[in-house]
mmCIF file of all heavy atoms in Angstrom:
data_model
loop_
_atom_site.group_PDB
_atom_site.id
_atom_site.type_symbol
_atom_site.label_atom_id
_atom_site.label_comp_id
_atom_site.label_asym_id
_atom_site.label_seq_id
_atom_site.Cartn_x
_atom_site.Cartn_y
_atom_site.Cartn_z
ATOM 1 N N LEU A 101 6.682 35.471 -23.379
ATOM 2 C CA LEU A 101 6.639 36.925 -23.458
ATOM 3 C C LEU A 101 6.984 37.551 -22.103
ATOM 4 O O LEU A 101 7.676 38.576 -22.042
ATOM 5 C CB LEU A 101 5.250 37.389 -23.918
ATOM 6 C CG LEU A 101 5.140 38.865 -24.320
ATOM 7 C CD1 LEU A 101 6.071 39.171 -25.483
ATOM 8 C CD2 LEU A 101 3.705 39.224 -24.684
ATOM 9 N N LEU A 104 10.774 37.359 -21.770
ATOM 10 C CA LEU A 104 11.453 38.318 -22.641
ATOM 11 C C LEU A 104 11.302 39.747 -22.138
ATOM 12 O O LEU A 104 12.278 40.501 -22.074
ATOM 13 C CB LEU A 104 10.902 38.196 -24.063
ATOM 14 C CG LEU A 104 11.220 36.889 -24.793
ATOM 15 C CD1 LEU A 104 10.397 36.783 -26.074
ATOM 16 C CD2 LEU A 104 12.702 36.791 -25.104
ATOM 17 N N VAL A 105 10.083 40.133 -21.767
ATOM 18 C CA VAL A 105 9.834 41.513 -21.326
ATOM 19 C C VAL A 105 10.537 41.775 -19.996
ATOM 20 O O VAL A 105 11.143 42.837 -19.799
ATOM 21 C CB VAL A 105 8.323 41.780 -21.224
ATOM 22 C CG1 VAL A 105 8.055 43.149 -20.605
ATOM 23 C CG2 VAL A 105 7.675 41.697 -22.598
ATOM 24 N N GLY A 106 10.469 40.821 -19.074
ATOM 25 C CA GLY A 106 11.170 40.993 -17.806
ATOM 26 C C GLY A 106 12.670 41.145 -17.997
ATOM 27 O O GLY A 106 13.305 42.006 -17.383
ATOM 28 N N ALA A 108 14.193 42.198 -20.719
ATOM 29 C CA ALA A 108 14.453 43.457 -21.420
ATOM 30 C C ALA A 108 14.415 44.645 -20.463
ATOM 31 O O ALA A 108 15.315 45.498 -20.467
ATOM 32 C CB ALA A 108 13.434 43.641 -22.545
ATOM 33 N N LEU A 109 13.387 44.724 -19.634
ATOM 34 C CA LEU A 109 13.243 45.867 -18.735
ATOM 35 C C LEU A 109 14.339 45.886 -17.670
ATOM 36 O O LEU A 109 14.879 46.955 -17.336
ATOM 37 C CB LEU A 109 11.867 45.840 -18.078
ATOM 38 C CG LEU A 109 10.669 46.023 -19.020
ATOM 39 C CD1 LEU A 109 9.358 45.918 -18.253
ATOM 40 C CD2 LEU A 109 10.755 47.359 -19.752
ATOM 41 N N GLU A 126 15.738 54.411 -14.060
ATOM 42 C CA GLU A 126 15.022 53.258 -14.628
ATOM 43 C C GLU A 126 14.526 53.642 -16.005
ATOM 44 O O GLU A 126 14.581 54.820 -16.380
ATOM 45 C CB GLU A 126 13.895 52.812 -13.687
ATOM 46 C CG GLU A 126 12.812 53.819 -13.447
ATOM 47 C CD GLU A 126 11.577 53.532 -14.287
ATOM 48 O OE1 GLU A 126 11.408 52.398 -14.738
ATOM 49 O OE2 GLU A 126 10.816 54.471 -14.504
ATOM 50 N N PRO A 127 14.076 52.700 -16.835
ATOM 51 C CA PRO A 127 13.791 52.986 -18.251
ATOM 52 C C PRO A 127 12.841 54.154 -18.491
ATOM 53 O O PRO A 127 12.954 54.849 -19.497
ATOM 54 C CB PRO A 127 13.199 51.672 -18.759
ATOM 55 C CG PRO A 127 13.834 50.632 -17.905
ATOM 56 C CD PRO A 127 13.982 51.257 -16.551
ATOM 57 N N GLY A 128 11.924 54.409 -17.581
ATOM 58 C CA GLY A 128 10.987 55.506 -17.802
ATOM 59 C C GLY A 128 11.597 56.881 -17.671
ATOM 60 O O GLY A 128 10.980 57.873 -18.069
ATOM 61 N N GLY A 131 11.869 58.866 -20.888
ATOM 62 C CA GLY A 131 10.638 59.070 -21.640
ATOM 63 C C GLY A 131 10.242 57.971 -22.591
ATOM 64 O O GLY A 131 9.298 58.141 -23.362
ATOM 65 N N VAL A 132 10.921 56.828 -22.560
ATOM 66 C CA VAL A 132 10.609 55.761 -23.516
ATOM 67 C C VAL A 132 9.187 55.250 -23.298
ATOM 68 O O VAL A 132 8.391 55.162 -24.245
ATOM 69 C CB VAL A 132 11.606 54.593 -23.370
ATOM 70 C CG1 VAL A 132 11.385 53.573 -24.473
ATOM 71 C CG2 VAL A 132 13.026 55.098 -23.394
ATOM 72 N N SER A 133 8.853 54.919 -22.071
ATOM 73 C CA SER A 133 7.535 54.354 -21.779
ATOM 74 C C SER A 133 6.424 55.364 -22.042
ATOM 75 O O SER A 133 5.376 55.022 -22.600
ATOM 76 C CB SER A 133 7.479 53.873 -20.323
ATOM 77 O OG SER A 133 8.444 52.874 -20.092
ATOM 78 N N ALA A 134 6.651 56.617 -21.628
ATOM 79 C CA ALA A 134 5.633 57.648 -21.841
ATOM 80 C C ALA A 134 5.402 57.886 -23.332
ATOM 81 O O ALA A 134 4.261 58.037 -23.790
ATOM 82 C CB ALA A 134 6.046 58.943 -21.150
ATOM 83 N N GLY A 135 6.483 57.914 -24.106
ATOM 84 C CA GLY A 135 6.332 58.092 -25.548
ATOM 85 C C GLY A 135 5.593 56.928 -26.184
ATOM 86 O O GLY A 135 4.742 57.122 -27.068
ATOM 87 N N ALA A 136 5.906 55.720 -25.745
ATOM 88 C CA ALA A 136 5.199 54.549 -26.260
ATOM 89 C C ALA A 136 3.715 54.623 -25.935
ATOM 90 O O ALA A 136 2.866 54.259 -26.760
ATOM 91 C CB ALA A 136 5.815 53.279 -25.678
ATOM 92 N N ALA A 137 3.390 55.090 -24.724
ATOM 93 C CA ALA A 137 1.982 55.211 -24.340
ATOM 94 C C ALA A 137 1.245 56.219 -25.215
ATOM 95 O O ALA A 137 0.082 56.010 -25.591
ATOM 96 C CB ALA A 137 1.881 55.610 -22.871
ATOM 97 N N VAL A 138 1.909 57.314 -25.569
ATOM 98 C CA VAL A 138 1.279 58.311 -26.456
ATOM 99 C C VAL A 138 1.012 57.699 -27.825
ATOM 100 O O VAL A 138 -0.064 57.879 -28.408
ATOM 101 C CB VAL A 138 2.180 59.554 -26.581
ATOM 102 C CG1 VAL A 138 1.648 60.491 -27.665
ATOM 103 C CG2 VAL A 138 2.253 60.294 -25.253
ATOM 104 N N ALA A 140 0.624 54.505 -28.637
ATOM 105 C CA ALA A 140 -0.450 53.520 -28.542
ATOM 106 C C ALA A 140 -1.800 54.200 -28.375
ATOM 107 O O ALA A 140 -2.785 53.821 -29.020
ATOM 108 C CB ALA A 140 -0.183 52.573 -27.369
ATOM 109 N N ALA A 153 -4.332 44.866 -32.698
ATOM 110 C CA ALA A 153 -3.285 44.884 -31.667
ATOM 111 C C ALA A 153 -1.918 45.179 -32.266
ATOM 112 O O ALA A 153 -1.083 45.846 -31.643
ATOM 113 C CB ALA A 153 -3.272 43.549 -30.935
ATOM 114 N N VAL A 156 -1.359 48.924 -32.616
ATOM 115 C CA VAL A 156 -1.047 49.542 -31.328
ATOM 116 C C VAL A 156 0.411 49.273 -30.959
ATOM 117 O O VAL A 156 1.146 50.175 -30.537
ATOM 118 C CB VAL A 156 -1.994 49.020 -30.230
ATOM 119 C CG1 VAL A 156 -1.608 49.582 -28.864
ATOM 120 C CG2 VAL A 156 -3.434 49.377 -30.555
ATOM 121 N N ALA A 157 0.853 48.024 -31.117
ATOM 122 C CA ALA A 157 2.228 47.665 -30.768
ATOM 123 C C ALA A 157 3.235 48.406 -31.647
ATOM 124 O O ALA A 157 4.254 48.905 -31.147
ATOM 125 C CB ALA A 157 2.417 46.154 -30.907
ATOM 126 N N ALA A 158 2.952 48.490 -32.942
ATOM 127 C CA ALA A 158 3.867 49.179 -33.854
ATOM 128 C C ALA A 158 3.953 50.662 -33.516
ATOM 129 O O ALA A 158 5.042 51.257 -33.516
ATOM 130 C CB ALA A 158 3.402 48.982 -35.298
ATOM 131 N N ALA A 159 2.802 51.276 -33.221
ATOM 132 C CA ALA A 159 2.796 52.695 -32.870
ATOM 133 C C ALA A 159 3.555 52.938 -31.563
ATOM 134 O O ALA A 159 4.303 53.917 -31.440
ATOM 135 C CB ALA A 159 1.357 53.189 -32.744
ATOM 136 N N ALA A 160 3.370 52.058 -30.590
ATOM 137 C CA ALA A 160 4.089 52.200 -29.320
ATOM 138 C C ALA A 160 5.596 52.071 -29.530
ATOM 139 O O ALA A 160 6.385 52.839 -28.958
ATOM 140 C CB ALA A 160 3.603 51.140 -28.332
ATOM 141 N N PHE A 161 6.005 51.125 -30.366
ATOM 142 C CA PHE A 161 7.424 50.913 -30.618
ATOM 143 C C PHE A 161 8.053 52.127 -31.293
ATOM 144 O O PHE A 161 9.086 52.648 -30.847
ATOM 145 C CB PHE A 161 7.609 49.672 -31.491
ATOM 146 C CG PHE A 161 9.043 49.287 -31.713
ATOM 147 C CD1 PHE A 161 9.727 48.533 -30.770
ATOM 148 C CD2 PHE A 161 9.710 49.680 -32.852
ATOM 149 C CE1 PHE A 161 11.053 48.175 -30.966
ATOM 150 C CE2 PHE A 161 11.038 49.330 -33.055
ATOM 151 C CZ PHE A 161 11.716 48.579 -32.115
ATOM 152 N N VAL A 162 7.419 52.611 -32.347
ATOM 153 C CA VAL A 162 7.965 53.749 -33.091
ATOM 154 C C VAL A 162 7.976 55.008 -32.232
ATOM 155 O O VAL A 162 8.956 55.769 -32.204
ATOM 156 C CB VAL A 162 7.156 53.977 -34.384
ATOM 157 C CG1 VAL A 162 7.603 55.264 -35.079
ATOM 158 C CG2 VAL A 162 7.325 52.787 -35.325
ATOM 159 N N ALA A 163 6.884 55.255 -31.504
ATOM 160 C CA ALA A 163 6.808 56.450 -30.660
ATOM 161 C C ALA A 163 7.832 56.400 -29.535
ATOM 162 O O ALA A 163 8.414 57.435 -29.171
ATOM 163 C CB ALA A 163 5.397 56.595 -30.096
ATOM 164 N N GLY A 164 8.076 55.232 -28.971
ATOM 165 C CA GLY A 164 9.087 55.111 -27.923
ATOM 166 C C GLY A 164 10.481 55.426 -28.445
ATOM 167 O O GLY A 164 11.252 56.141 -27.791
ATOM 168 N N LEU A 165 10.828 54.904 -29.616
ATOM 169 C CA LEU A 165 12.124 55.206 -30.211
ATOM 170 C C LEU A 165 12.248 56.685 -30.547
ATOM 171 O O LEU A 165 13.283 57.314 -30.304
ATOM 172 C CB LEU A 165 12.320 54.370 -31.479
ATOM 173 C CG LEU A 165 12.471 52.857 -31.300
ATOM 174 C CD1 LEU A 165 12.633 52.180 -32.652
ATOM 175 C CD2 LEU A 165 13.667 52.528 -30.414
ATOM 176 N N TRP A 219 -4.264 49.434 -21.432
ATOM 177 C CA TRP A 219 -2.929 49.295 -22.000
ATOM 178 C C TRP A 219 -1.890 49.913 -21.072
ATOM 179 O O TRP A 219 -0.804 49.358 -20.884
ATOM 180 C CB TRP A 219 -2.875 49.966 -23.370
ATOM 181 C CG TRP A 219 -1.622 49.653 -24.138
ATOM 182 C CD1 TRP A 219 -1.410 48.617 -25.000
ATOM 183 C CD2 TRP A 219 -0.391 50.384 -24.099
ATOM 184 N NE1 TRP A 219 -0.137 48.663 -25.498
ATOM 185 C CE2 TRP A 219 0.508 49.736 -24.962
ATOM 186 C CE3 TRP A 219 0.029 51.528 -23.428
ATOM 187 C CZ2 TRP A 219 1.792 50.186 -25.173
ATOM 188 C CZ3 TRP A 219 1.333 51.980 -23.626
ATOM 189 C CH2 TRP A 219 2.200 51.313 -24.493
ATOM 190 N N GLN A 220 -2.215 51.044 -20.478
ATOM 191 C CA GLN A 220 -1.273 51.705 -19.577
ATOM 192 C C GLN A 220 -1.026 50.904 -18.296
ATOM 193 O O GLN A 220 0.030 51.037 -17.688
ATOM 194 C CB GLN A 220 -1.787 53.095 -19.197
ATOM 195 C CG GLN A 220 -1.662 54.124 -20.319
ATOM 196 C CD GLN A 220 -2.065 55.498 -19.840
ATOM 197 O OE1 GLN A 220 -3.236 55.844 -19.786
ATOM 198 N NE2 GLN A 220 -1.075 56.292 -19.480
ATOM 199 N N GLY A 222 -0.738 47.664 -18.147
ATOM 200 C CA GLY A 222 0.158 46.555 -18.448
ATOM 201 C C GLY A 222 -0.474 45.194 -18.234
ATOM 202 O O GLY A 222 -1.100 44.949 -17.204
ATOM 203 N N SER A 223 -0.324 44.315 -19.207
ATOM 204 C CA SER A 223 -0.884 42.972 -19.106
ATOM 205 C C SER A 223 -0.242 42.068 -20.142
ATOM 206 O O SER A 223 0.159 42.519 -21.225
ATOM 207 C CB SER A 223 -2.400 43.006 -19.310
ATOM 208 O OG SER A 223 -2.930 41.692 -19.315
ATOM 209 N N LEU A 224 -0.147 40.788 -19.812
ATOM 210 C CA LEU A 224 0.321 39.775 -20.756
ATOM 211 C C LEU A 224 -0.839 39.030 -21.397
ATOM 212 O O LEU A 224 -0.629 38.093 -22.168
ATOM 213 C CB LEU A 224 1.236 38.774 -20.047
ATOM 214 C CG LEU A 224 2.596 39.320 -19.612
ATOM 215 C CD1 LEU A 224 3.272 38.365 -18.639
ATOM 216 C CD2 LEU A 224 3.492 39.566 -20.816
ATOM 217 N N VAL A 235 9.344 40.241 -30.302
ATOM 218 C CA VAL A 235 10.058 40.685 -29.106
ATOM 219 C C VAL A 235 11.353 39.895 -28.898
ATOM 220 O O VAL A 235 12.361 40.458 -28.460
ATOM 221 C CB VAL A 235 9.146 40.569 -27.865
ATOM 222 C CG1 VAL A 235 9.905 40.952 -26.596
ATOM 223 C CG2 VAL A 235 7.916 41.457 -28.024
ATOM 224 N N LEU A 238 14.592 41.193 -30.763
ATOM 225 C CA LEU A 238 14.962 42.518 -30.268
ATOM 226 C C LEU A 238 15.551 42.426 -28.865
ATOM 227 O O LEU A 238 16.550 43.087 -28.542
ATOM 228 C CB LEU A 238 13.743 43.443 -30.265
ATOM 229 C CG LEU A 238 13.185 43.815 -31.643
ATOM 230 C CD1 LEU A 238 11.886 44.605 -31.497
ATOM 231 C CD2 LEU A 238 14.207 44.618 -32.434
ATOM 232 N N THR A 239 14.950 41.585 -28.017
ATOM 233 C CA THR A 239 15.469 41.411 -26.660
ATOM 234 C C THR A 239 16.827 40.731 -26.692
ATOM 235 O O THR A 239 17.763 41.142 -25.968
ATOM 236 C CB THR A 239 14.486 40.589 -25.810
ATOM 237 O OG1 THR A 239 13.224 41.268 -25.750
ATOM 238 C CG2 THR A 239 15.015 40.382 -24.411
ATOM 239 N N VAL A 281 18.849 50.817 -24.659
ATOM 240 C CA VAL A 281 17.734 50.933 -23.720
ATOM 241 C C VAL A 281 16.430 51.204 -24.464
ATOM 242 O O VAL A 281 15.378 50.638 -24.135
ATOM 243 C CB VAL A 281 18.009 52.052 -22.694
ATOM 244 C CG1 VAL A 281 16.750 52.392 -21.898
ATOM 245 C CG2 VAL A 281 19.117 51.627 -21.746
ATOM 246 N N ALA A 282 16.481 52.059 -25.488
ATOM 247 C CA ALA A 282 15.273 52.363 -26.263
ATOM 248 C C ALA A 282 14.728 51.115 -26.941
ATOM 249 O O ALA A 282 13.517 50.862 -26.913
ATOM 250 C CB ALA A 282 15.578 53.442 -27.300
ATOM 251 N N VAL A 283 15.607 50.321 -27.539
ATOM 252 C CA VAL A 283 15.168 49.098 -28.213
ATOM 253 C C VAL A 283 14.587 48.108 -27.208
ATOM 254 O O VAL A 283 13.505 47.529 -27.424
ATOM 255 C CB VAL A 283 16.338 48.459 -28.985
ATOM 256 C CG1 VAL A 283 15.949 47.085 -29.512
ATOM 257 C CG2 VAL A 283 16.757 49.358 -30.145
ATOM 258 N N LEU A 284 15.285 47.905 -26.093
ATOM 259 C CA LEU A 284 14.810 46.946 -25.093
ATOM 260 C C LEU A 284 13.466 47.368 -24.496
ATOM 261 O O LEU A 284 12.547 46.556 -24.362
ATOM 262 C CB LEU A 284 15.841 46.812 -23.970
ATOM 263 C CG LEU A 284 17.106 46.020 -24.288
ATOM 264 C CD1 LEU A 284 18.139 46.184 -23.182
ATOM 265 C CD2 LEU A 284 16.786 44.547 -24.496
ATOM 266 N N THR A 285 13.353 48.641 -24.135
ATOM 267 C CA THR A 285 12.138 49.097 -23.462
ATOM 268 C C THR A 285 10.950 49.125 -24.405
ATOM 269 O O THR A 285 9.848 48.686 -24.048
ATOM 270 C CB THR A 285 12.352 50.490 -22.847
ATOM 271 O OG1 THR A 285 13.516 50.461 -22.019
ATOM 272 C CG2 THR A 285 11.158 50.900 -22.006
ATOM 273 N N THR A 286 11.136 49.641 -25.606
ATOM 274 C CA THR A 286 10.021 49.689 -26.549
ATOM 275 C C THR A 286 9.587 48.290 -26.957
ATOM 276 O O THR A 286 8.388 48.023 -27.113
ATOM 277 C CB THR A 286 10.392 50.505 -27.801
ATOM 278 O OG1 THR A 286 11.658 50.049 -28.322
ATOM 279 C CG2 THR A 286 10.488 51.978 -27.489
ATOM 280 N N ALA A 287 10.554 47.386 -27.135
ATOM 281 C CA ALA A 287 10.189 45.996 -27.436
ATOM 282 C C ALA A 287 9.405 45.400 -26.285
ATOM 283 O O ALA A 287 8.443 44.640 -26.490
ATOM 284 C CB ALA A 287 11.441 45.170 -27.715
ATOM 285 N N GLY A 288 9.793 45.759 -25.057
ATOM 286 C CA GLY A 288 9.119 45.198 -23.898
ATOM 287 C C GLY A 288 7.705 45.687 -23.719
ATOM 288 O O GLY A 288 6.803 44.903 -23.402
ATOM 289 N N VAL A 289 7.489 46.998 -23.924
ATOM 290 C CA VAL A 289 6.162 47.558 -23.622
ATOM 291 C C VAL A 289 5.216 47.542 -24.818
ATOM 292 O O VAL A 289 4.018 47.757 -24.646
ATOM 293 C CB VAL A 289 6.284 49.004 -23.087
ATOM 294 C CG1 VAL A 289 7.191 49.057 -21.874
ATOM 295 C CG2 VAL A 289 6.766 49.966 -24.167
ATOM 296 N N ALA A 290 5.729 47.303 -26.022
ATOM 297 C CA ALA A 290 4.879 47.409 -27.208
ATOM 298 C C ALA A 290 3.691 46.458 -27.153
ATOM 299 O O ALA A 290 2.572 46.815 -27.540
ATOM 300 C CB ALA A 290 5.707 47.138 -28.474
ATOM 301 N N PHE A 291 3.905 45.229 -26.672
ATOM 302 C CA PHE A 291 2.832 44.238 -26.655
ATOM 303 C C PHE A 291 2.218 44.037 -25.268
ATOM 304 O O PHE A 291 1.234 43.318 -25.135
ATOM 305 C CB PHE A 291 3.362 42.887 -27.160
ATOM 306 C CG PHE A 291 3.692 42.875 -28.616
ATOM 307 C CD1 PHE A 291 4.983 43.099 -29.052
ATOM 308 C CD2 PHE A 291 2.706 42.656 -29.572
ATOM 309 C CE1 PHE A 291 5.299 43.099 -30.400
ATOM 310 C CE2 PHE A 291 2.999 42.656 -30.922
ATOM 311 C CZ PHE A 291 4.302 42.874 -31.340
ATOM 312 N N THR A 292 2.812 44.662 -24.253
ATOM 313 C CA THR A 292 2.325 44.423 -22.893
ATOM 314 C C THR A 292 1.807 45.672 -22.206
ATOM 315 O O THR A 292 1.153 45.577 -21.172
ATOM 316 C CB THR A 292 3.449 43.840 -22.009
ATOM 317 O OG1 THR A 292 4.505 44.797 -21.899
ATOM 318 C CG2 THR A 292 3.988 42.558 -22.611
ATOM 319 N N GLY A 293 2.077 46.859 -22.747
ATOM 320 C CA GLY A 293 1.731 48.082 -22.047
ATOM 321 C C GLY A 293 2.801 48.456 -21.039
ATOM 322 O O GLY A 293 3.866 47.843 -20.965
ATOM 323 N N ILE A 294 2.506 49.467 -20.234
ATOM 324 C CA ILE A 294 3.496 50.001 -19.297
ATOM 325 C C ILE A 294 3.617 49.094 -18.075
ATOM 326 O O ILE A 294 2.634 48.824 -17.391
ATOM 327 C CB ILE A 294 3.102 51.429 -18.845
ATOM 328 C CG1 ILE A 294 2.900 52.322 -20.073
ATOM 329 C CG2 ILE A 294 4.172 51.998 -17.931
ATOM 330 C CD1 ILE A 294 4.110 52.463 -20.950
ATOM 331 N N ILE A 295 4.835 48.649 -17.813
ATOM 332 C CA ILE A 295 5.129 47.840 -16.621
ATOM 333 C C ILE A 295 6.275 48.528 -15.882
ATOM 334 O O ILE A 295 7.405 48.570 -16.377
ATOM 335 C CB ILE A 295 5.505 46.398 -16.998
ATOM 336 C CG1 ILE A 295 4.335 45.721 -17.717
ATOM 337 C CG2 ILE A 295 5.884 45.601 -15.755
ATOM 338 C CD1 ILE A 295 4.648 44.335 -18.238
ATOM 339 N N LEU A 296 5.971 49.072 -14.722
ATOM 340 C CA LEU A 296 6.915 49.914 -13.997
ATOM 341 C C LEU A 296 7.730 49.126 -12.976
ATOM 342 O O LEU A 296 7.345 48.037 -12.556
ATOM 343 C CB LEU A 296 6.163 51.043 -13.283
ATOM 344 C CG LEU A 296 5.369 51.998 -14.182
ATOM 345 C CD1 LEU A 296 4.564 52.961 -13.335
ATOM 346 C CD2 LEU A 296 6.292 52.754 -15.129
ATOM 347 N N LEU A 329 9.012 39.100 -13.425
ATOM 348 C CA LEU A 329 7.795 39.318 -14.207
ATOM 349 C C LEU A 329 6.957 38.049 -14.296
ATOM 350 O O LEU A 329 5.720 38.109 -14.298
ATOM 351 C CB LEU A 329 8.141 39.830 -15.604
ATOM 352 C CG LEU A 329 7.003 40.612 -16.283
ATOM 353 C CD1 LEU A 329 6.590 41.801 -15.416
ATOM 354 C CD2 LEU A 329 7.408 41.090 -17.653
#
Side-chain angles (χ1 to χ4, degrees):
L101 192 60
L104 293 169
V105 173
L109 295 178
E126 63 100 21
V132 187
S133 299
V138 171
V156 176
F161 185 83
V162 173
L165 292 179
W219 191 90
Q220 286 185 278
S223 175
L224 290 166
V235 177
L238 293 174
T239 300
V281 168
V283 171
L284 285 170
T285 307
T286 50
V289 304
F291 291 96
T292 63
I294 305 300
I295 298 175
L296 300 174
L329 204 58

